[in-house]
Structures are given as structure tokens and as C-alpha cells.
Amino acid sequence: MIRNFDQTDRRMLKFPAVHPCEAISPETLLNSLISLSQNICNYQSKLFSTQRKNARQTIRQIGLLLLFFEETRDLRLALTDSVVLCFSELHHAFQKVQFLLEDCTREGAKLWILIKCQVVSTQFRALIRAIATALDVLPLGLIDVGVEVKELVELAGKQARNAKVEVDPEDERALQQVFSVLDHFEKGIEPDSSFMKRVLDHLEIRNWNDCNKEIKFLEEQIDLQHSDCDGREAPFLSSLLGLMNYCRGVIFETWNHRSNKSDARHSIEALSCINAEDFRCPISLELMTDPVTVSTGQTYDRSSIQRWLKAGNMTCPKTGERMTSPELVPNTTLRKLIRQFCTDVGVCASSSGGQSRDIARTISPGSPAAAEEMKFLSRFLARRLVFGSSEQKTKAAYEIRFLAKSNIFNRSCLIEAGTILPLINLLSSSSEHHAQEIAISALLKLSKHTSGKKEIVESGGLKPILAVLQRGLSLEAKQMAAAIIFYLASVKPYRKLIGETPEVVPTLVELIKDGTTCGKENVVVAIFGLLLHSGNHQRVISSGTIPLLMDIFSSSDNDELIADSLAVLAAIAESVDGTLAILQTSALSTIPRILRSSASRAAREYIVTVLLSLCKNGGAEAISILAKDHSLMSSLYVLLTDGSSYGSSKARALMKLLHKFHETSSSGRIASVVPCERPVHVW
């Protein structure tokens, strides 16, 4: 009878209560009322940082009614229609009470409930009035319970009628302090931290972790606002988010980085048991970015199922059942799980476009107050990195890592405040692996910004980063250093500079052997970035990169890693020397097999690019081997119809070469099929 709602399925201060159906049996209704009442009474032991008085008196009244409901059930009394009707109204009100109590005690929502204190008080008032109304019309005389129990019901009704539901004066005072602090920030004035400390004490936000929970909640609310295309509250939420970021960085000195790392490790262990294939859309075969569930219970990516429906199909693509409704229900739990899986395990979702749009929102600050809060915080962290103790410096780097992770404006503020040079110094001086990991991770986030790349190189950061790449205190630090190399290599002059450092490419290649899946991706894309400078091609080839890439093709089941590795192979194959090195491996037998089996369009297109280069640079001998693979042509036809314009053109060119080979092979003019700069022996 009671509907269970996960917090991810219900928005804050929204109460999707339903009236019990008319055909419900009195016994079922009564049992459900008792269960609801017990759930509500359990909130007596939970923390209410605000709305304490309103919550207590609501719980107390429902506790009195619980005794009445239990005695009615125990006596097995027959209930008249009028009693059932009143119980139904109480049931509807109790559902909303439970939702409201959930919101008031929700983890991370303390500040937001304070901001909404007037709205919340109004909801308590309305629900208490609804309970009073239902009790006023309850024919208590028709229910044969004890006198004491009837007196309790009458007492509950009287209390509900006379209840004074209003905003607690302490809540009101804390609310005004929040507005005062935001006003100071908006005017470019850094407020006295004691004002905010009083608010945090009132809300019982006691430590760094409590503050971080508030930040995560506010970030979720902003995302929901934008996903609904309703940004009315987004600027104010951004101001609150900036305020809590400021509090986390400035007010809370003590932090527990080890517990956070442990949580992440446990998350990875749990997620490692999940098959990534379960996250793929049955239609597109790509990782879902916006999973939705249809009426048959199957889940698809929204864009894929919408195209299916627009084509006039009303059957479920996976089961073949007819869909009773075209309604698409967002599967928010699965969406969050996919995002966490991609982040923690290193599987890159095909949602890069959507993620890019999300982070594009952060180019500008969400509000004037948020902008000033971030500037003040950035300057504070820069000072800490220079003048703080060892622990304070590491904590400042940790804050920078958080702030710069997915916010472009934050990155620009942190760079302008001068955090990069002290981060480089921290990187060079770190003797503990966790401090080195945090410093290199912070630099990685800042290296994504255009000015961050320039600042790192001009501040002499390349040498310390390369030192971590070679001799980092942990594998994680080395892999993050490789990722920074990739971002730096996106700047044309830096590719040459990095490649000319003798140890760089061999060190990257070594990490392919030992790295995790995510780490290998970092290394592979870093090598790809360096290959954009032609002078680095021979260095990559001579370092033994190609055999390791071939090992990835045979041993990895990660589509993104395979696609990135194929991109590197395609870049290497552009030169004759690269072709020679590739043909000395089993590439001509291995790569066409991947073309047949891969679900990734990007991987298939890179494969065709590789094969086309091998044919052009390898001559007739390479073409003859591919021509013997009769399944290759059908794979090329698929890419011709389903591929991008680039992939289709490459597939068409390769098909043309193969057709020409078949036409000329009988006439003995094989050597004229394709020009070759030098003869290449195919192993």
C-alpha cells in the first residue's frame, strides 16, 4: 500500500502522495496507516537542523493517533464507510508528512531547507490542518475503542487545531545571516568568517565532510534545474554553492583525505563486479547517457528510443512486446551509476557531448556572488600553498582538485590567483605518495584550461611532471602525469618540446605495460598527442609502442582503450616507416578481426584508416593479404552505410583498392595497383 520513493526519483519538497483507492479493504488501509505512522514516529530520533519545533509537534500528534490505530486493529473492529473515508484522508496527509520529514533530515540538504524555511513551515501548517480536518469529521463514537484512547484522539485533534506553526526564530536569524554574507560577497567584500561559523553551528555542519555533502547536494539541484530547462533558482543555488565551497576551503582546517580515498576504492571494488555491457543501449550499443525506461520495463538511451518511436514503431525493440504507452520514464538511478562507473573504472561513456555541454555552463559564474566567492577562495588557497604548513598545503591542493574538476570558471580563477607555481613546488617537494597524487591531480585539472597549459610550461612545470612520470611515488601519480602530457601536447609548440626530452616516450610506453585501464588510456592518448608532431614518430616507433598496442587488441575488452590505441596505430601507419613496423607484427590478421567484432564506430573507422595506410605504403603484398579475407568487404559495406562521412570515405577508398586488385591480379599488373615509396616485406 505504501509507495516507496527513492530520493533520486523525487524532487525536494515535492510530495507525490496518492489517495487510497475506493476498493481498498478497511483492514489493508488500517495496516498501511499503522506502518506509515510508525515510519513517521521513527523520525523522533533523527536530527532536525531546522524546523525542530514543527517536526516535533507533528510527530507527537501522529504518535497519539498510532495508539488509536493499533487498538482499532487489535480489537478487529468493523469500520463504517465514513470511518474509512476519514482514514483515507489521514493516509494521504501522512504520506506527505513522511516526505516532508525525509526532506528536512536529508543528508546534505541542511542549508537548502534553511533557505526554504518559510515554504517548509507552510507545508507543515497545511498538513497539520489537513489532519485536524480529518479528525473533526471522524465519527469517533462509531468506533468501539477504550475511553483513554478516544481521549488521545481528541487531544491530537485539539493540538492539530490549535498548533502554531511558524518559522523558528533561530532559523530566521540564521537565514538573515546567510543573506547578509551573500550580500557582502556580491559587493566584493569578504565577510567575517564568524558570521558563517554561527550559521554552520546552527545547522550542525561540523566538519569538512558535512560541508562537502552540502556541496554535492547543491550541485545536484543545479543539474536538475538545467536538465528541466528551468533555471529560475540556479543563480541563487550557485551563490549557495560558492558559499559552501568557501566554507569548506577556508573554515574547515581538518580534512580526512584517506577516508575519501578509501570510499572511492570501495566504490571501484563494488563497481568492478558490474558488466559495462549492461549499461549499453540495446539499440545503439553505446553506453547510455540518458537512460529511460519504456512501458515494457526495458531501458534504452533516450535519443535512440525516440528515433525508434518517431519511425512509427510501437513494439519494444528488445522484447518485441507492444508498448502500451509512448511515455519514457527517466532512469535516474541507472544514469548516476553509469556516470560513477565511467569515472571510477575508467570506462569513457559516449556521452562526451552531453558532458561537454554540462561543463560549458560553467564558463561563466552562476551568479555575481558565486564569482566573488570563488575569487576570494582562490586567493586564500594560493596563499596557503605558499605560506601554509605541509598539511595545509596538501589540503589546499585537495580543494583545488575538487574545485577545478568540472568547472571552467573555477579553473580560470585558480590560475589567475597564482596556484600553479606553488602546486609545481609542492609536487617537487612531496615525499609522501598521497601528497604527490593530490598535487599532480590538481595540476591535471588546471592543465585542461588554455591558460593553465601555458602557465605550467612557463613556470617550469614540465620537468617536475616528467620526473613524476618516470619516478612517481605511486602508479596513480604516474598515470596522472601522463594525462597532463596529453593536455600539454594539444599545444603545437609543446609537442616538440616534450618529444625532444629523451625519457618521455620510453617512459610512457613502459606505463602501457603496467597501468590500469584508465591509466593506459591516459598514456595512449598522450602518445597520440605527441604523434601530431612528425618529429616524434620515429621516437614512438623505436620505443616499442606497436607490439604493446597489438597486445591491447588481443587482451583488452575496453572499447574506448581499443579505439584510442587504434587512433595511435593510424597515426603511426601514415608514414612508410610506421607501416613497416606495423607489418612486422600480426596486424593484417588481427585488425580485420576487430573490424568484424567491434561495436564502436570510432574503432571501426580507425581500423579502416590503418588498413588503407598499410595498403598505400605497403604495396601489393599487403593488399594481397587483405584481399584473401572475404569477410572484409562486407564489414566495409556496413561502415559505408553506418559510418561518418570521414569513415565512409576511407571505407570507399579501401574498397576501391581491393576491387582494383582483384581486377588486375589476373593480368599480372599487381604492382601498379597502388604506388609505394619503397618495397615493404610483409611478415
Side-chain angles (χ1 to χ4, degrees):
M1 176 63 198
I2 301 174
R3 300 199 321 176
N4 292 319
F5 287 88
D6 188 271
Q7 284 287 9
T8 57
D9 298 327
R10 182 178 66 84
R11 302 293 173 85
M12 285 289 290
L13 303 179
K14 301 293 183 183
F15 313 123
V18 294
H19 279 94
C21 64
E22 295 181 1
I24 190 172
S25 71
E27 182 182 6
T28 301
L29 176 61
L30 184 59
N31 286 331
S32 187
L33 258 177
I34 291 170
S35 181
L36 257 178
S37 302
Q38 290 171 338
N39 290 344
I40 291 169
C41 289
N42 288 338
Y43 280 91
Q44 187 72 49
S45 61
K46 295 193 177 184
L47 170 65
F48 287 86
S49 57
T50 57
Q51 303 290 333
R52 296 180 180 94
K53 180 181 176 183
N54 294 336
R56 278 200 303 269
Q57 68 177 356
T58 303
I59 295 170
R60 183 171 61 248
Q61 290 164 13
I62 292 175
L64 296 174
L65 295 176
L66 174 59
L67 298 173
F68 164 59
F69 296 142
E70 288 176 334
E71 179 152 335
T72 302
R73 177 197 61 190
D74 294 342
L75 294 174
R76 298 186 178 182
L77 300 176
L79 303 179
T80 64
D81 291 344
S82 58
V83 172
V84 170
L85 180 61
C86 290
F87 279 8
S88 294
E89 291 300 319
L90 287 171
H91 191 281
H92 186 253
F94 284 12
Q95 289 177 65
K96 292 186 175 182
V97 169
Q98 183 174 351
F99 287 135
L100 187 57
L101 295 175
E102 281 179 5
D103 289 341
C104 289
T105 57
R106 179 170 175 175
E107 188 174 72
K110 295 175 181 178
L111 179 60
W112 188 236
I113 291 295
L114 173 65
I115 298 300
K116 292 289 187 178
C117 62
Q118 190 61 59
V119 173
V120 175
S121 292
T122 300
Q123 288 291 342
F124 271 114
R125 186 182 304 114
L127 292 173
I128 289 176
R129 294 288 183 269
I131 293 171
T133 300
L135 293 177
D136 282 343
V137 298
L138 177 67
L140 196 56
L142 300 179
I143 306 174
D144 192 17
V145 293
V147 175
E148 297 85 354
V149 173
K150 287 185 178 181
E151 289 176 350
L152 289 176
V153 176
E154 291 169 351
L155 175 61
K158 182 178 180 180
Q159 289 180 347
R161 285 190 298 274
N162 299 331
K164 292 183 179 180
V165 184
E166 55 192 6
V167 177
D168 189 294
E170 290 296 318
D171 291 348
E172 182 67 37
R173 193 173 298 112
L175 180 62
Q176 293 308 315
Q177 288 176 330
V178 171
F179 285 132
S180 175
V181 169
L182 293 178
D183 185 59
H184 275 72
F185 274 121
E186 190 164 346
K187 293 175 180 176
I189 303 169
E190 188 170 19
D192 190 323
S193 60
S194 62
F195 289 112
M196 205 56 217
K197 285 179 181 177
R198 285 198 288 270
V199 174
L200 296 174
D201 287 342
H202 175 72
L203 295 176
E204 300 193 42
I205 299 174
R206 304 293 191 190
N207 52 47
W208 190 95
N209 284 327
D210 288 344
C211 194
N212 196 48
K213 290 172 185 175
E214 299 290 313
I215 289 169
K216 288 183 177 180
F217 171 81
L218 291 169
E219 287 174 339
E220 288 175 3
Q221 297 307 303
I222 293 172
D223 286 343
L224 289 173
Q225 288 267 316
H226 286 287
S227 66
D228 291 343
C229 299
D230 178 14
R232 288 175 295 177
E233 290 187 317
F236 186 62
L237 283 163
S238 296
S239 298
L240 295 176
L241 176 60
L243 177 60
M244 296 312 291
N245 277 326
Y246 178 88
C247 291
R248 187 184 66 186
V250 174
I251 294 177
F252 294 110
E253 293 282 344
T254 306
W255 58 296
N256 190 346
H257 63 274
R258 291 181 176 83
S259 68
N260 285 301
K261 188 170 181 179
S262 175
D263 290 343
R265 183 167 58 251
H266 292 158
S267 175
I268 291 174
E269 289 171 358
L271 289 169
S272 65
C273 302
I274 300 173
N275 185 356
E277 296 305 310
D278 296 335
F279 296 153
R280 295 190 184 278
C281 173
I283 298 174
S284 69
L285 301 180
E286 300 288 351
L287 286 178
M288 291 180 280
T289 63
D290 186 10
V292 293
T293 302
V294 299
S295 59
T296 61
Q298 299 299 318
T299 299
Y300 303 92
D301 205 17
R302 183 185 294 274
S303 59
S304 298
I305 193 63
Q306 283 178 337
R307 286 196 298 270
W308 175 266
L309 294 172
K310 284 180 182 177
N313 301 302
M314 280 303 292
T315 56
C316 176
K318 191 170 183 180
T319 65
E321 299 176 56
R322 184 165 183 79
M323 290 185 277
T324 57
S325 167
E327 182 181 6
L328 306 177
V329 180
N331 194 328
T332 53
T333 303
L334 180 59
R335 182 175 61 198
K336 287 186 177 183
L337 190 60
I338 291 173
R339 286 180 179 176
Q340 187 176 356
F341 179 85
C342 293
T343 300
D344 292 346
V345 185
V347 178
C348 298
S350 58
S351 60
S352 56
Q355 291 173 341
S356 296
R357 287 192 295 273
D358 288 345
I359 197 170
R361 294 199 316 257
T362 69
I363 293 175
S364 301
S367 70
E372 295 303 320
E373 288 158 349
M374 189 60 220
K375 290 174 184 176
F376 280 118
L377 177 56
S378 297
R379 290 193 284 269
F380 173 85
L381 294 174
R383 290 193 300 270
R384 276 296 167 89
L385 283 171
V386 176
F387 302 111
S389 65
S390 176
E391 185 68 14
Q392 287 174 333
K393 288 179 180 179
T394 305
K395 197 255 184 182
Y398 197 74
E399 295 292 342
I400 292 170
R401 170 190 172 188
F402 263 77
L403 294 166
K405 183 177 181 181
S406 56
N407 192 294
I408 297 172
F409 178 76
N410 289 358
R411 291 172 191 166
S412 64
C413 286
L414 290 161
I415 293 165
E416 288 174 12
T419 59
I420 284 184
L421 180 56
L423 277 174
I424 292 170
N425 293 335
L426 177 62
L427 187 66
S428 303
S429 61
S430 298
S431 58
E432 295 185 12
H433 71 86
H434 78 271
Q436 188 179 79
E437 287 174 15
I438 292 168
I440 195 73
S441 179
L443 283 170
L444 171 58
K445 303 302 184 291
L446 297 179
S447 71
K448 297 178 181 181
H449 197 280
T450 302
S451 59
K453 299 177 182 66
K454 181 180 178 182
E455 192 70 23
I456 288 172
V457 174
E458 292 186 355
S459 298
L462 187 56
K463 186 175 180 180
I465 290 168
L466 294 180
V468 173
L469 183 68
Q470 292 178 275
R471 301 179 297 277
L473 299 175
S474 69
L475 180 59
E476 289 80 2
K478 293 179 180 180
Q479 293 176 163
M480 284 186 278
I484 295 178
I485 296 297
F486 164 70
Y487 284 109
L488 295 181
S490 66
V491 181
K492 190 174 182 179
Y494 300 161
R495 297 169 197 156
K496 183 175 183 293
L497 181 65
I498 297 169
E500 287 176 347
T501 305
E503 305 89 352
V504 174
V505 174
T507 304
L508 287 171
V509 172
E510 282 299 309
L511 278 177
I512 296 179
K513 299 177 183 177
D514 304 325
T516 62
T517 297
C518 187
K520 288 179 180 179
E521 285 190 50
N522 290 345
V523 172
V524 168
V525 296
I527 292 173
F528 180 80
L530 294 176
L531 283 169
L532 296 176
H533 173 61
S534 58
N536 292 328
H537 277 236
Q538 191 55 48
R539 298 185 183 98
V540 171
I541 294 169
S542 60
S543 296
T545 307
I546 295 171
L548 292 177
L549 295 178
M550 299 304 297
D551 288 341
I552 288 175
F553 300 148
S554 59
S555 62
S556 176
D557 56 0
N558 184 293
D559 287 342
E560 294 297 329
L561 176 57
I562 291 173
D564 290 339
S565 301
L566 286 165
V568 171
L569 203 64
I572 293 173
E574 290 176 357
S575 67
V576 175
D577 287 340
T579 291
L580 174 61
I582 292 171
L583 291 176
Q584 289 175 340
T585 68
S586 59
L588 286 179
S589 59
T590 301
I591 295 177
R593 186 169 65 248
I594 303 173
L595 179 62
R596 292 191 294 271
S597 61
S598 178
S600 167
R601 189 175 75 177
R604 296 198 303 270
E605 292 184 354
Y606 284 131
I607 288 171
V608 175
T609 303
V610 172
L611 295 178
L612 186 59
S613 294
L614 295 182
C615 289
K616 287 182 176 180
N617 295 329
E621 193 171 355
I623 299 175
S624 64
I625 294 176
L626 292 179
K628 295 174 184 177
D629 187 345
H630 300 295
S631 64
L632 177 59
M633 197 64 75
S634 62
S635 299
L636 294 175
Y637 272 116
V638 172
L639 192 59
L640 193 64
T641 55
D642 295 343
S644 65
S645 58
Y646 172 83
S648 298
S649 66
K650 292 292 183 180
R652 190 177 295 108
L654 182 56
M655 291 169 67
K656 190 174 181 180
L657 278 178
L658 294 174
H659 279 306
K660 192 172 182 180
F661 173 83
H662 286 298
E663 290 171 1
T664 58
S665 59
S666 58
S667 64
R669 294 183 290 108
I670 298 177
S672 66
V673 174
V674 62
C676 182
E677 296 182 18
R678 70 168 92 154
V680 176
H681 180 66
V682 181
W683 287 20

